[in-house]
Amino acid sequence: MAQKVDYAALKKGGYMRQKQKGYGSLRLAVVGGNLTAENIKTVAEVAEKYGRGYVHMTSRQGIEIPFIKVEELAEVKEALAKGGVGTGVCGPRVRTVTACQGSEVCPSGCIDTYTLAKELDERYFGRELPHKFKFGVTGCQNNCLKAEENDVGIKGGMNIEYKEDDCISCGVCVKACRQNALKMVDGKIELDAQKCNHCGRCVKSCPVDAWKGTPGYIVSFGGTFGNNIYKGEELLPLILDKETLFRVTDAAINFFEKNANPSERFRKTLQRVGEEDFRSQLKDAYEGQ
């Protein structure tokens, strides 16, 4: 008599049942969108040996290997592990953190997105929650990772400071600013702080370093993308240090864990419970209370 397969338990480890009986698609952990060449070779070899010779690239920077036989799953995971490849998760838990290439590669990047993605992943990945919970990290206001589509989105920004004595009144920063937050008046730069979105383009464009930029984090909460689409909301000022950032992300995920109903996304929880208490807890976390 064939042994009954606990697909719910297998799904927790990233194995998703296919429509073809006895087969599943295995989701791999791809933190921040990065894999080494050795990792990729291992994935290719496993797909050739145990799957059907191809992989699926997901919309969240993941890789899935379809047509893995359920009875070979343990062997597949062992083969992947030898090449440094881990498996992802599905179901009601924190998913793999996504990220763009950030300041280490991209000229527009304001923050080191990959290092942050790894830190968030180590802090939260796989944590059991009432429903799935997604983090997305993007390096700047170009927003390649669509941060606001995530339960918690983190976007790189800069706190800017103008050094008038170093300015040569070339106007390059005025042209670079897409928010029309800068203008030249009598040979001097004027900043409209209400229009500034902390993109840092003034800092990056200035030929004489008359602008100083301190990297920071713009955080949004409660985004979703799927059957229901909602743009996450920025509820805090620019965060300038990771200690504060992690206090804030801890507060968000703890609020969700405490208040959410089963199978309820973070946005639905905030709508049902109301945001007043959440905003209060975020403010306390931001201020270190």
Side-chain angles (χ1 to χ4, degrees):
M1 183 177 178
Q3 186 176 1
K4 185 177 180 181
V5 178
D6 187 351
Y7 283 101
L10 295 180
K11 186 176 181 180
K12 181 178 179 180
Y15 185 75
M16 296 166 289
R17 192 174 186 174
Q18 285 183 207
K19 63 185 294 184
Q20 293 85 3
K21 187 175 180 180
Y23 290 96
S25 186
L26 181 60
R27 178 174 294 173
L28 308 182
V30 185
V31 181
N34 279 19
L35 288 175
T36 67
E38 186 63 32
N39 294 155
I40 294 171
K41 290 176 185 176
T42 298
V43 173
E45 290 168 0
V46 169
E48 284 281 358
K49 183 175 180 179
Y50 297 98
R52 293 196 176 175
Y54 76 96
V55 298
H56 172 68
M57 310 296 289
T58 75
S59 61
R60 281 183 56 81
Q61 300 183 321
I63 291 178
E64 294 172 2
I65 308 177
F67 289 99
I68 299 297
K69 294 178 180 178
V70 66
E71 64 268 22
E72 294 181 338
L73 181 58
E75 188 177 337
V76 167
K77 288 187 174 183
E78 184 179 350
L80 289 167
K82 288 179 180 177
V85 181
T87 54
V89 297
C90 305
R93 47 196 59 90
V94 178
R95 304 297 179 83
T96 304
V97 181
T98 59
C100 70
Q101 296 204 72
S103 60
E104 298 304 290
V105 175
C106 178
S108 298
C110 297
I111 59 172
D112 180 356
T113 53
Y114 182 52
T115 296
L116 179 57
K118 289 192 293 183
E119 291 170 339
L120 289 166
D121 193 78
E122 290 168 1
R123 195 177 187 95
Y124 301 118
F125 175 68
R127 177 170 167 176
E128 300 286 333
L129 292 169
H131 202 6
K132 60 185 174 183
F133 200 94
K134 298 177 180 179
F135 287 89
V137 184
T138 198
C140 67
Q141 288 285 7
N142 290 338
N143 205 11
C144 296
L145 247 290
K146 305 177 181 65
E148 292 87 357
E149 292 181 0
N150 294 271
D151 297 282
V152 172
I154 301 170
K155 189 185 301 180
M158 284 190 177
N159 187 49
I160 60 171
E161 179 185 351
Y162 176 52
K163 298 179 288 184
E164 185 178 328
D165 291 344
D166 294 332
C167 182
I168 59 174
S169 302
C170 65
V172 171
C173 60
V174 177
K175 294 178 181 177
C177 180
R178 294 174 176 174
Q179 302 303 114
N180 296 317
L182 301 178
K183 61 180 179 179
M184 183 79 72
V185 179
D186 297 329
K188 296 181 180 180
I189 299 295
E190 290 188 358
L191 166 66
D192 185 342
Q194 296 299 315
K195 292 182 179 179
C196 178
N197 69 347
H198 304 288
C199 70
R201 288 175 61 84
C202 53
V203 177
K204 294 177 180 294
S205 66
C206 182
V208 293
D209 297 328
W211 287 98
K212 177 184 177 183
T214 303
Y217 310 100
I218 302 165
V219 188
S220 58
F221 304 91
T224 61
F225 192 85
N227 289 327
N228 297 293
I229 298 174
Y230 194 96
K231 182 181 178 181
E233 299 179 35
E234 296 173 15
L235 303 177
L236 293 170
L238 183 73
I239 296 173
L240 297 178
D241 63 279
K242 281 185 179 176
E243 182 180 354
T244 301
L245 175 65
F246 291 143
R247 287 201 308 268
V248 165
T249 55
D250 282 349
I253 205 166
N254 290 339
F255 184 90
F256 178 62
E257 183 176 45
K258 180 180 178 181
N259 293 282
N261 292 327
S263 301
E264 180 179 68
R265 291 295 296 274
F266 190 26
R267 168 49 45 191
K268 290 291 186 181
T269 302
L270 293 175
Q271 290 172 332
R272 177 177 55 80
V273 176
E275 289 191 4
E276 184 176 349
D277 187 37
F278 178 60
R279 287 173 181 265
S280 176
Q281 291 185 36
L282 278 185
K283 182 174 181 293
D284 288 346
Y286 178 79
E287 295 175 350
Q289 298 180 17

